[in-house]
Amino acid sequence: MNLEFSAFEFLSASARQWRAVACLGFLLCAASTSHAATQWTDLLDKTLSKWDTYLSYQHKVGYDGSQPVGADGKPLEAIGYNKDATHVFSVEEIDGKLAVHVSGEFYGCIITKQEFENYRLKLKVKWGTKKWPPRLDKLRDGGVLYHSNGPCGVDYWRAWARSQEFQIMEGHMGDYWSIESSAIDIRAYLPEGTMNSVADATQSFLAFGAKPSVSGFCLRHENAESKPGEWTDVELVCFKGKSLHIINGHVVMVLKNSRYMKDGVAVPMTKGKIQLQSEAGELYYADVKIQEIDSLPQEYEALFVE
């Protein structure tokens, strides 16, 4: 009897030990997975090895979206991919940060070689001093274009790929622009007459971009940009067609149902490459990094509840 009891105790103890080991293994695996999920990947290096470049034209004042022509009246071809002879894009160390210096002289972009879906993108932005036609008397401009797909040069300025634009512009950090046939829904006030719609997390979602929509543009909720000469922290959160435009920790726009329109039919657009714009204004993009996510960050979930 004692021997049987002892054997039973031994087996029970062994089972408990195995369960403990299994639990420990599960926790370690979960911790490892959680740790991996929090890793950030730097997208910048000294050679821009993770990016291609695309340059279109140095547009003139009064440009109307048509094919640019030369002095002889013949159509001019865009400069194209990976032909940056004038060094519109260069990598420099600014304030101890590795940064892409964008001269702004030509319209165009750097565009990631890889596509991304469900991620957080962070970067810092600071303005330079130069401006170029046709924006000599206008605010400095740039942008982060996400869910980019198809060739560059299909937009009004013949410089970018179809995408959603997170505006980077003096006083307008976080605005939305539709690029080519893209569309999305934004929590925003319904505009009246010639007024622009303004984003606000308390409002219902309105359609923007390719028709049917309110318009192809929406103003950010607030101006959260840093003072002149200082870096502005920019964050883009994308998850399953939802996105957030965040400036210096302030959510300035809530968006969902990312798509593009083809022959009047909405096609989901939830992944793609990332473009950083050159748009006739000098600026710097620094500390560009990305983190893949498997869920919307909990602190932002309530922004999408209707």
Side-chain angles (χ1 to χ4, degrees), residues 99-172:
V100 180
H101 175 206
V102 182
S103 74
E105 184 176 0
F106 289 84
Y107 276 62
C109 65
I110 59 172
I111 179 169
T112 57
K113 296 177 180 180
Q114 181 180 344
E115 290 190 341
F116 298 96
E117 181 179 19
N118 300 331
Y119 59 87
R120 299 178 79 160
L121 175 75
K122 290 186 178 182
L123 61 150
K124 296 180 183 295
V125 176
K126 186 167 77 167
W127 299 111
T129 59
K130 296 179 182 178
K131 295 182 182 180
W132 304 87
R135 301 195 61 82
L136 291 173
D137 59 348
K138 295 178 172 61
L139 299 170
R140 290 177 183 82
D141 203 356
V144 177
L145 308 185
Y146 57 102
H147 299 336
S148 308
N149 54 86
C152 291
V154 298
D155 64 298
Y156 177 88
W157 297 98
R158 299 170 182 263
W160 307 301
R162 178 175 57 218
S163 52
Q164 311 289 13
E165 178 171 356
F166 184 139
Q167 173 87 297
I168 302 296
M169 182 179 183
E170 290 179 300
H172 287 266

Side-chain angles (χ1 to χ4, degrees), residues 73-92:
K74 294 182 179 179
L76 293 174
E77 293 296 323
I79 295 173
Y81 289 98
N82 301 317
K83 299 177 182 178
D84 187 8
T86 55
H87 302 293
V88 173
F89 304 105
S90 58
V91 179
E92 302 176 10

Side-chain angles (χ1 to χ4, degrees), residues 278-296:
S278 170
E279 198 169 355
E282 184 184 26
L283 76 161
Y284 299 88
Y285 299 106
D287 288 351
V288 185
K289 55 188 178 182
I290 197 164
Q291 176 196 63
E292 294 185 10
I293 57 176
D294 55 15
S295 62
L296 190 70

Side-chain angles (χ1 to χ4, degrees), residues 172 174-176 188 196-200 217-221 252-253:
H172 287 266
D175 287 356
Y176 169 80
N196 288 316
S197 186
V198 181
D200 193 286
F217 171 73
C218 185
L219 282 165
R220 78 285 180 274
H221 170 64
V252 297
M253 190 169 290

Side-chain angles (χ1 to χ4, degrees), residues 146 184 236-238 241-245 253-256 304:
Y146 57 102
I184 205 164
L236 168 67
V237 178
C238 294
K242 299 175 181 178
S243 54
L244 294 164
H245 294 184
M253 190 169 290
V254 181
L255 314 90
K256 72 171 187 177
F304 294 94

